[in-house]
Amino acid sequence: MHEITVKGIHKSLNENGYICGVPFAASITSAIQTKPVSGAFLYGPAGTGKSYLPIVLSKTLGVEMFFYQCAPGTREDDLVLKMLPSEVTKSGVEIKKSTVFKAAEASHKNKVMLVLDEWDKTRPTADGFFLDFLQYGRLSIPGTDINANLDNMFIFFTANDEREFHEALLRRFPMIHVNPIEPADVVSALKLTHDDNEYIPAMLDLYTRSIKANLPKPATIQELRQLMDAIDCLDGDGDWDALVYQYITKTPENHILLAD
């Protein structure tokens, strides 16, 4: 595990592809050292890197990651146990351990990171269900008691703004707002993979315009890199407007917003 200092976290995040400034690295550094459980509630608009951050951070810290992608209507028990069709059971259903259960078990042997992505898509009852787990590392479900070693866990929730959250849940964690990446950091990120590309200034202009246009999701680093790759691949034969639609805006509504 890398040294948990602001300087160490800032350096390792940037080296592993998550471009951020020192103040943001400081927020992360303090959050992963909070008690009784380390982690944070990552909140912000789509496309700002909320989900990517814990992925990179798990590599930075050298810990195993358990990732659950919430879907609309996700129930609390979906995170603990999952029911799968089975041809070998009498009921036709097989019950297996889900992400939170597996992370809790693994925490007794090693440090782990649990990521509950897009938490705002879960049912509101999920907020209260996890309060005891976040305070004491325990969950009670019919027939099973789950206990985690919170000293060995980093937990991150990510969310946009699809619903409000239980106040008691928010009190358990520091809240970190993840805002669109600064233009200077966009350039740094693009230079990591396309250092000599002549279109980086155009990508920066496109990025800033996507924010000013209030697109539902600003252009991401990955999309800008893909656009540059496409331009290089086509060697001048592509149509700029069509490529921007293909790689950045992706819907007629977004394309009109950006054009305006």
Side-chain angles (χ1 to χ4, degrees):
M1 182 180 294
H2 291 273
E3 183 183 9
I4 302 181
T5 63
V6 174
K7 183 178 180 180
I9 292 297
H10 178 252
K11 181 174 184 290
S12 55
L13 282 176
N14 282 270
E15 287 179 346
N16 283 281
Y18 191 91
I19 307 301
C20 65
V22 173
F24 186 81
S27 297
I28 297 298
T29 303
S30 62
I32 61 178
Q33 297 182 90
T34 56
K35 298 296 179 183
V37 59
S38 304
F41 212 108
L42 304 176
Y43 185 81
T48 53
K50 300 185 302 297
S51 303
Y52 186 51
L53 172 60
I55 293 174
V56 175
L57 190 59
S58 67
K59 296 178 181 178
T60 293
L61 299 173
V63 300
E64 184 178 5
M65 184 179 67
F66 293 83
F67 191 98
Y68 191 97
Q69 176 69 59
C70 300
T74 293
R75 301 173 301 177
E76 49 270 32
D77 49 337
D78 295 330
L79 305 171
V80 181
L81 299 172
K82 54 185 176 182
M83 294 186 291
L84 301 173
S86 174
E87 296 180 356
V88 299
T89 61
K90 291 182 178 180
S91 64
V93 174
E94 182 179 8
I95 299 177
K96 290 192 173 184
K97 299 171 183 176
S98 192
T99 306
V100 173
F101 203 144
K102 292 178 180 178
E105 289 185 324
S107 70
H108 290 282
K109 296 181 180 180
N110 301 293
K111 286 190 176 293
V112 301
M113 182 173 294
L114 173 63
V115 182
L116 301 171
D117 194 39
E118 297 192 72
W119 185 257
D120 49 324
K121 287 182 166 52
T122 62
R123 295 184 179 185
T125 52
D127 291 2
F129 181 74
F130 275 94
L131 293 180
D132 255 14
F133 183 76
L134 299 175
Q135 188 72 32
Y136 306 109
R138 67 190 183 203
L139 281 173
S140 294
I141 56 177
T144 306
D145 286 328
I146 301 171
N147 291 284
N149 179 5
L150 294 183
D151 290 335
N152 275 347
M153 293 194 83
F154 303 98
I155 301 178
F156 284 92
F157 291 81
T158 78
N160 299 323
D161 56 359
E162 291 196 16
R163 69 171 177 87
E164 294 183 352
F165 307 104
H166 197 294
E167 183 182 353
L169 175 66
L170 294 179
R171 286 202 305 267
R172 294 292 196 278
F173 273 106
M175 172 74 78
I176 298 178
H177 286 266
V178 185
N179 299 312
I181 187 171
E182 292 293 329
D185 291 332
V186 171
V187 174
S188 298
L190 294 178
K191 285 185 175 181
L192 287 175
T193 54
H194 296 73
D195 189 28
D196 58 350
N197 194 289
E198 63 180 305
Y199 286 98
I200 286 181
M203 297 302 111
L204 179 60
D205 183 61
L206 185 58
Y207 173 76
T208 55
R209 288 173 185 268
S210 74
I211 294 177
K212 291 178 182 178
N214 289 320
L215 296 185
K217 184 180 75 172
T220 66
I221 298 299
Q222 178 174 307
E223 289 170 338
L224 295 172
R225 286 170 174 165
Q226 290 172 341
L227 177 54
M228 284 192 290
D229 288 340
I231 293 171
D232 289 341
C233 175
L234 295 172
D235 196 23
D237 291 333
D239 177 76
W240 172 258
D241 191 63
L243 288 172
V244 169
Y245 182 91
Q246 181 178 351
Y247 288 96
I248 306 298
T249 54
K250 301 178 181 177
T251 69
E253 295 80 9
N254 287 346
H255 206 63
I256 290 172
L257 281 174
L258 187 63
D260 288 344

